[in-house]
Amino acid sequence: MQTKLDLSILHAQVILDHLGFSPGVLDGREGKSLVAAVTGFQEVQGLPKTGKLDQPTLKALYPHRAFRPTQKITLTNDILTGPFTNPFPKDPALQSKLPALGYKSVMEKMGEMFHTTPAVLIELNSPDTKLTAGTQIVVPNAITTERAYDPKLPEAWRKTLSDLNVDSTQPQGAKIVVSKSREVLRVLDKDGKLVAQFMATMGSTHDPLPIGTWKVLGPSYNPEFHYNPTLFWDAKKGSKQALLPPGPNGPVGVVWLDLSKPHYGIHGTPSPETIGRAESHGCIRLTNWDAARLAMMVKAGTPAVFQS
Protein backbone atom coordinates (compact mmCIF):
# COMPACT_ATOMS: atom_id res chain seq x y z
CA MET A 1 0.00 0.00 0.00
CA GLN A 2 1.29 3.48 -0.88
CA THR A 3 2.49 5.40 2.17
CA LYS A 4 1.25 8.91 2.81
CA LEU A 5 3.32 11.93 1.79
CA ASP A 6 5.39 13.08 4.80
CA LEU A 7 6.17 16.81 4.79
CA SER A 8 9.26 16.36 6.97
CA ILE A 9 10.70 13.89 4.45
CA LEU A 10 9.69 16.20 1.60
CA HIS A 11 11.52 19.03 3.38
CA ALA A 12 14.74 16.97 3.49
CA GLN A 13 14.28 15.98 -0.19
CA VAL A 14 13.81 19.62 -1.23
CA ILE A 15 16.95 20.74 0.62
CA LEU A 16 19.01 17.89 -0.84
CA ASP A 17 17.67 18.69 -4.32
CA HIS A 18 18.72 22.34 -4.00
CA LEU A 19 22.17 21.32 -2.71
CA GLY A 20 22.80 19.01 -5.68
CA PHE A 21 22.21 15.64 -3.99
CA SER A 22 19.19 14.68 -6.01
CA PRO A 23 16.68 12.29 -4.44
CA GLY A 24 15.01 12.01 -7.84
CA VAL A 25 11.26 12.59 -7.61
CA LEU A 26 10.24 14.86 -4.71
CA ASP A 27 7.45 12.76 -3.20
CA GLY A 28 7.77 12.99 0.59
CA ARG A 29 8.50 9.28 0.94
CA GLU A 30 11.42 7.15 2.03
CA GLY A 31 13.12 4.89 -0.50
CA LYS A 32 16.45 4.03 -2.04
CA SER A 33 16.68 7.32 -3.94
CA LEU A 34 16.49 9.24 -0.66
CA VAL A 35 18.99 6.87 0.96
CA ALA A 36 21.45 7.50 -1.88
CA ALA A 37 20.99 11.29 -1.70
CA VAL A 38 21.42 11.34 2.08
CA THR A 39 24.54 9.15 1.85
CA GLY A 40 26.12 11.56 -0.65
CA PHE A 41 25.30 14.55 1.56
CA GLN A 42 26.71 12.76 4.62
CA GLU A 43 29.95 12.05 2.74
CA VAL A 44 30.48 15.73 1.96
CA GLN A 45 29.62 16.71 5.54
CA GLY A 46 32.08 14.17 7.00
CA LEU A 47 29.24 12.32 8.77
CA PRO A 48 28.79 8.56 9.20
CA LYS A 49 27.27 7.29 5.94
CA THR A 50 24.10 5.78 7.38
CA GLY A 51 21.79 6.85 4.55
CA LYS A 52 19.29 7.84 7.23
CA LEU A 53 17.87 11.17 8.34
CA ASP A 54 19.46 10.73 11.76
CA GLN A 55 20.15 13.53 14.24
CA PRO A 56 23.64 14.48 12.94
CA THR A 57 22.24 14.64 9.37
CA LEU A 58 19.20 16.70 10.37
CA LYS A 59 21.55 19.07 12.22
CA ALA A 60 23.66 19.45 9.03
CA LEU A 61 20.51 20.10 6.97
CA TYR A 62 19.16 22.66 9.48
CA PRO A 63 21.15 25.68 8.18
CA HIS A 64 19.36 25.22 4.84
CA ARG A 65 15.84 25.20 6.35
CA ALA A 66 14.96 28.38 4.42
CA PHE A 67 14.24 26.02 1.52
CA ARG A 68 10.71 25.23 2.70
CA PRO A 69 9.17 21.88 1.68
CA THR A 70 6.40 23.45 -0.38
CA GLN A 71 5.60 26.75 -2.01
CA LYS A 72 2.35 28.27 -3.20
CA ILE A 73 2.38 29.45 -6.81
CA THR A 74 -0.14 31.09 -9.08
CA LEU A 75 -0.75 29.30 -12.37
CA THR A 76 0.10 31.39 -15.42
CA ASN A 77 -0.62 31.01 -19.12
CA ASP A 78 3.07 30.19 -19.64
CA ILE A 79 2.87 27.25 -17.21
CA LEU A 80 -0.39 26.03 -18.72
CA THR A 81 0.68 26.32 -22.37
CA GLY A 82 1.88 23.37 -24.47
CA PRO A 83 2.29 22.27 -27.14
CA PHE A 84 1.10 18.96 -25.71
CA THR A 85 1.30 15.63 -27.50
CA ASN A 86 -1.87 13.69 -26.86
CA PRO A 87 -2.61 11.05 -28.02
CA PHE A 88 0.98 9.85 -27.78
CA PRO A 89 1.74 6.88 -30.06
CA LYS A 90 4.10 4.15 -28.84
CA ASP A 91 5.27 3.20 -32.34
CA PRO A 92 8.51 5.06 -33.28
CA ALA A 93 7.32 5.19 -36.91
CA LEU A 94 4.25 7.16 -35.85
CA GLN A 95 6.26 9.30 -33.40
CA SER A 96 8.57 10.32 -36.23
CA LYS A 97 5.63 12.01 -37.98
CA LEU A 98 4.89 14.31 -35.03
CA PRO A 99 6.27 17.88 -34.74
CA ALA A 100 7.51 17.20 -31.20
CA LEU A 101 7.40 14.58 -28.43
CA GLY A 102 5.98 17.00 -25.89
CA TYR A 103 4.37 16.50 -22.52
CA LYS A 104 1.07 14.65 -22.69
CA SER A 105 -0.69 17.06 -20.33
CA VAL A 106 -0.36 20.18 -18.18
CA MET A 107 -0.03 17.94 -15.13
CA GLU A 108 2.91 16.04 -16.61
CA LYS A 109 4.61 19.32 -17.51
CA MET A 110 4.09 20.71 -13.99
CA GLY A 111 5.35 17.47 -12.48
CA GLU A 112 8.72 17.95 -14.19
CA MET A 113 8.77 21.70 -13.51
CA PHE A 114 8.65 21.00 -9.77
CA HIS A 115 10.72 17.78 -9.79
CA THR A 116 7.81 15.54 -8.88
CA THR A 117 4.87 13.66 -10.43
CA PRO A 118 1.24 14.52 -11.22
CA ALA A 119 0.15 12.17 -8.41
CA VAL A 120 2.12 14.17 -5.82
CA LEU A 121 0.70 17.45 -7.12
CA ILE A 122 -2.81 16.03 -6.66
CA GLU A 123 -1.88 14.94 -3.11
CA LEU A 124 -0.68 18.42 -2.24
CA ASN A 125 -3.80 20.00 -3.70
CA SER A 126 -7.00 18.29 -4.83
CA PRO A 127 -8.19 16.29 -7.82
CA ASP A 128 -10.75 19.06 -8.29
CA THR A 129 -8.18 21.89 -8.56
CA LYS A 130 -8.96 23.97 -11.64
CA LEU A 131 -6.01 24.30 -14.00
CA THR A 132 -6.66 27.86 -15.06
CA ALA A 133 -4.56 31.04 -15.00
CA GLY A 134 -4.85 32.74 -11.62
CA THR A 135 -5.45 29.54 -9.62
CA GLN A 136 -3.09 29.07 -6.67
CA ILE A 137 -1.61 25.64 -6.08
CA VAL A 138 0.94 24.09 -3.71
CA VAL A 139 4.07 22.51 -5.23
CA PRO A 140 7.28 20.92 -3.92
CA ASN A 141 9.73 23.80 -3.51
CA ALA A 142 12.11 22.95 -6.33
CA ILE A 143 11.80 26.56 -7.49
CA THR A 144 14.98 28.44 -8.36
CA THR A 145 15.37 32.20 -8.50
CA GLU A 146 18.74 31.97 -10.27
CA ARG A 147 18.08 32.04 -14.01
CA ALA A 148 21.08 34.01 -15.31
CA TYR A 149 21.90 31.41 -17.98
CA ASP A 150 24.84 31.89 -20.33
CA PRO A 151 23.46 33.99 -23.22
CA LYS A 152 25.59 31.91 -25.59
CA LEU A 153 23.33 28.93 -24.92
CA PRO A 154 20.49 28.41 -27.43
CA GLU A 155 17.34 30.28 -26.48
CA ALA A 156 15.21 27.11 -26.55
CA TRP A 157 17.65 25.40 -24.17
CA ARG A 158 17.60 28.35 -21.77
CA LYS A 159 13.80 28.07 -21.70
CA THR A 160 14.08 24.34 -20.99
CA LEU A 161 16.45 25.05 -18.08
CA SER A 162 14.07 27.67 -16.72
CA ASP A 163 10.99 25.46 -17.14
CA LEU A 164 12.77 22.65 -15.26
CA ASN A 165 13.83 25.00 -12.45
CA VAL A 166 17.53 24.32 -13.01
CA ASP A 167 19.65 26.85 -11.14
CA SER A 168 22.00 28.84 -13.37
CA THR A 169 24.76 28.62 -10.73
CA GLN A 170 26.26 25.13 -10.75
CA PRO A 171 29.57 23.69 -9.52
CA GLN A 172 32.09 22.78 -12.21
CA GLY A 173 32.77 19.07 -12.45
CA ALA A 174 36.18 17.74 -13.44
CA LYS A 175 35.15 14.09 -13.45
CA ILE A 176 32.02 11.93 -13.61
CA VAL A 177 31.91 8.62 -11.75
CA VAL A 178 29.05 6.23 -12.51
CA SER A 179 28.67 3.52 -9.85
CA LYS A 180 26.59 0.51 -10.87
CA SER A 181 26.43 -0.91 -7.33
CA ARG A 182 25.30 2.40 -5.82
CA GLU A 183 23.06 3.27 -8.82
CA VAL A 184 24.32 6.85 -8.77
CA LEU A 185 26.18 9.28 -10.99
CA ARG A 186 28.67 11.32 -8.98
CA VAL A 187 30.29 14.61 -10.04
CA LEU A 188 33.72 15.40 -8.60
CA ASP A 189 35.56 18.72 -8.77
CA LYS A 190 39.24 19.25 -9.65
CA ASP A 191 40.21 18.36 -6.06
CA GLY A 192 38.28 15.09 -6.15
CA LYS A 193 35.52 16.42 -3.88
CA LEU A 194 31.96 15.28 -4.45
CA VAL A 195 29.92 18.31 -5.59
CA ALA A 196 26.77 16.65 -6.95
CA GLN A 197 25.13 13.26 -7.09
CA PHE A 198 22.19 11.95 -9.09
CA MET A 199 20.22 8.72 -8.92
CA ALA A 200 20.65 6.94 -12.25
CA THR A 201 19.47 3.98 -14.28
CA MET A 202 22.34 2.27 -16.04
CA GLY A 203 22.51 -0.74 -18.31
CA SER A 204 20.66 -4.04 -18.19
CA THR A 205 21.33 -7.73 -18.56
CA HIS A 206 21.03 -7.23 -22.35
CA ASP A 207 23.14 -4.05 -22.46
CA PRO A 208 25.45 -4.00 -19.43
CA LEU A 209 27.17 -0.81 -18.30
CA PRO A 210 30.50 -0.60 -20.20
CA ILE A 211 32.98 -0.59 -17.31
CA GLY A 212 35.98 1.64 -18.00
CA THR A 213 36.98 5.25 -18.53
CA TRP A 214 35.36 7.28 -21.29
CA LYS A 215 35.04 10.96 -22.11
CA VAL A 216 32.17 13.36 -22.55
CA LEU A 217 32.25 14.50 -26.18
CA GLY A 218 29.64 17.21 -25.75
CA PRO A 219 25.96 17.95 -25.26
CA SER A 220 23.01 17.92 -27.63
CA TYR A 221 20.21 20.10 -26.26
CA ASN A 222 16.56 19.16 -26.87
CA PRO A 223 17.86 16.51 -29.27
CA GLU A 224 16.26 14.58 -32.05
CA PHE A 225 16.70 10.83 -31.65
CA HIS A 226 17.90 8.42 -34.31
CA TYR A 227 15.91 5.28 -33.58
CA ASN A 228 17.80 2.23 -34.82
CA PRO A 229 15.98 -1.03 -33.96
CA THR A 230 19.19 -3.06 -34.31
CA LEU A 231 20.48 -1.32 -31.14
CA PHE A 232 17.34 -2.19 -29.13
CA TRP A 233 17.01 -5.79 -27.92
CA ASP A 234 13.29 -5.22 -27.27
CA ALA A 235 12.48 -3.63 -30.65
CA LYS A 236 9.46 -5.08 -32.42
CA LYS A 237 10.20 -7.36 -35.34
CA GLY A 238 10.06 -5.44 -38.61
CA SER A 239 10.72 -2.07 -36.97
CA LYS A 240 12.50 0.39 -39.22
CA GLN A 241 14.92 3.21 -38.48
CA ALA A 242 13.28 6.54 -37.74
CA LEU A 243 14.25 10.08 -36.83
CA LEU A 244 12.20 11.08 -33.81
CA PRO A 245 11.51 14.77 -33.12
CA PRO A 246 12.80 16.49 -29.96
CA GLY A 247 10.80 16.83 -26.77
CA PRO A 248 10.83 15.93 -23.07
CA ASN A 249 8.96 12.71 -23.83
CA GLY A 250 11.49 11.54 -26.41
CA PRO A 251 13.58 8.44 -25.60
CA VAL A 252 16.48 10.56 -24.31
CA GLY A 253 14.49 13.42 -22.81
CA VAL A 254 15.74 16.99 -23.00
CA VAL A 255 19.50 16.46 -23.34
CA TRP A 256 22.06 13.93 -24.60
CA LEU A 257 25.66 13.99 -23.38
CA ASP A 258 27.57 12.03 -25.99
CA LEU A 259 30.33 9.71 -24.77
CA SER A 260 33.48 8.41 -26.45
CA LYS A 261 31.98 4.90 -26.25
CA PRO A 262 29.99 4.60 -29.51
CA HIS A 263 26.18 4.60 -29.11
CA TYR A 264 26.45 5.46 -25.40
CA GLY A 265 25.45 8.64 -23.65
CA ILE A 266 24.11 10.21 -20.48
CA HIS A 267 20.60 11.54 -21.00
CA GLY A 268 17.17 12.41 -19.65
CA THR A 269 14.05 10.29 -19.61
CA PRO A 270 10.32 10.63 -20.26
CA SER A 271 9.62 8.62 -17.06
CA PRO A 272 11.35 10.21 -14.02
CA GLU A 273 9.65 7.86 -11.54
CA THR A 274 11.47 4.86 -13.11
CA ILE A 275 15.00 6.12 -12.40
CA GLY A 276 16.86 3.45 -10.43
CA ARG A 277 13.88 1.13 -10.84
CA ALA A 278 14.02 0.06 -14.49
CA GLU A 279 16.58 -1.12 -17.00
CA SER A 280 18.10 0.98 -19.78
CA HIS A 281 19.59 0.12 -23.14
CA GLY A 282 23.10 0.45 -21.73
CA CYS A 283 23.10 4.25 -21.41
CA ILE A 284 22.98 6.28 -18.21
CA ARG A 285 19.56 7.75 -17.65
CA LEU A 286 18.65 10.58 -15.26
CA THR A 287 15.50 12.60 -14.67
CA ASN A 288 15.21 15.42 -17.20
CA TRP A 289 15.94 18.05 -14.54
CA ASP A 290 19.03 16.20 -13.27
CA ALA A 291 20.33 15.58 -16.79
CA ALA A 292 19.88 19.28 -17.59
CA ARG A 293 21.72 20.23 -14.40
CA LEU A 294 24.57 17.83 -15.18
CA ALA A 295 24.91 19.34 -18.67
CA MET A 296 25.73 22.67 -16.99
CA MET A 297 28.43 21.09 -14.79
CA VAL A 298 30.59 19.31 -17.36
CA LYS A 299 32.16 20.10 -20.71
CA ALA A 300 33.68 18.26 -23.65
CA GLY A 301 36.68 16.25 -22.50
CA THR A 302 35.40 15.57 -18.97
CA PRO A 303 36.35 11.97 -18.07
CA ALA A 304 33.50 9.60 -17.21
CA VAL A 305 34.54 6.56 -15.15
CA PHE A 306 32.08 3.65 -15.13
CA GLN A 307 32.50 1.34 -12.13
CA SER A 308 30.84 -1.90 -11.09
Side-chain angles (χ1 to χ4, degrees):
M1 185 176 172
Q2 176 83 315
T3 56
K4 190 178 178 183
L5 183 151
D6 184 323
L7 277 178
S8 62
I9 292 175
L10 180 62
H11 197 185
Q13 289 178 322
V14 163
I15 293 172
L16 291 164
D17 185 60
H18 277 284
L19 296 179
F21 298 93
S22 174
V25 169
L26 303 179
D27 61 0
R29 293 172 172 84
E30 295 181 329
K32 67 178 183 178
S33 297
L34 179 58
V35 170
V38 169
T39 303
F41 176 74
Q42 290 169 333
E43 177 182 330
V44 169
Q45 295 293 317
L47 298 172
K49 291 186 278 188
T50 63
K52 296 178 180 176
L53 291 169
D54 49 30
Q55 279 307 118
T57 304
L58 291 174
K59 186 177 178 181
L61 289 170
Y62 186 75
H64 307 284
R65 64 192 180 281
F67 293 120
R68 305 312 298 159
T70 62
Q71 191 161 323
K72 191 172 281 188
I73 67 157
T74 300
L75 294 180
T76 63
N77 286 326
D78 188 51
I79 291 174
L80 298 169
T81 300
F84 299 112
T85 306
N86 198 346
F88 195 100
K90 289 185 178 180
D91 186 347
L94 295 176
Q95 291 179 3
S96 69
K97 296 175 182 176
L98 297 171
L101 298 179
Y103 293 117
K104 301 181 187 79
S105 66
V106 174
M107 287 297 287
E108 187 180 45
K109 178 185 178 183
M110 290 198 301
E112 295 224 335
M113 288 184 84
F114 304 108
H115 304 182
T116 190
T117 64
V120 171
L121 291 176
I122 291 171
E123 271 186 284
L124 289 172
N125 296 276
S126 158
D128 303 319
T129 302
K130 288 185 167 54
L131 298 179
T132 54
T135 299
Q136 286 196 322
I137 65 167
V138 176
V139 299
N141 185 18
I143 299 166
T144 181
T145 55
E146 300 295 326
R147 290 185 165 87
Y149 306 114
D150 185 345
K152 293 178 184 173
L153 291 171
E155 183 180 354
W157 178 238
R158 282 181 274 141
K159 183 172 186 337
T160 298
L161 292 171
S162 181
D163 284 349
L164 291 173
N165 273 297
V166 174
D167 199 303
S168 58
T169 304
Q170 299 292 343
Q172 283 308 296
K175 182 179 178 182
I176 290 170
V177 177
V178 175
S179 172
K180 183 180 178 183
S181 57
R182 297 188 196 181
E183 296 183 274
V184 294
L185 183 151
R186 294 156 59 83
V187 183
L188 310 179
D189 68 10
K190 57 183 175 52
D191 299 318
K193 180 186 174 186
L194 179 66
V195 292
Q197 180 182 283
F198 307 110
M199 196 75 185
T201 293
M202 56 199 77
S204 66
T205 49
H206 296 273
D207 299 296
L209 184 75
I211 304 301
T213 300
W214 315 98
K215 280 187 178 180
V216 174
L217 299 181
S220 179
Y221 305 129
N222 295 310
E224 295 176 322
F225 181 74
H226 295 269
Y227 175 74
N228 183 349
T230 62
L231 301 176
F232 289 76
W233 55 266
D234 54 352
K236 285 187 178 179
K237 191 174 180 181
S239 293
K240 292 184 170 58
Q241 292 192 31
L243 180 62
L244 307 188
N249 266 324
V252 295
V254 299
V255 65
W256 168 272
L257 289 172
D258 202 25
L259 296 171
S260 55
K261 170 77 172 170
H263 308 302
Y264 281 80
I266 302 169
H267 60 84
T269 178
S271 306
E273 68 282 355
T274 66
I275 295 299
R277 293 166 177 78
E279 294 186 329
S280 76
H281 291 93
C283 293
I284 296 83
R285 195 166 66 206
L286 311 173
T287 66
N288 274 334
W289 56 88
D290 286 342
R293 189 170 188 172
L294 176 64
M296 295 184 68
M297 295 180 180
V298 299
K299 56 189 178 183
T302 302
V305 181
F306 293 178
Q307 300 175 340
S308 56

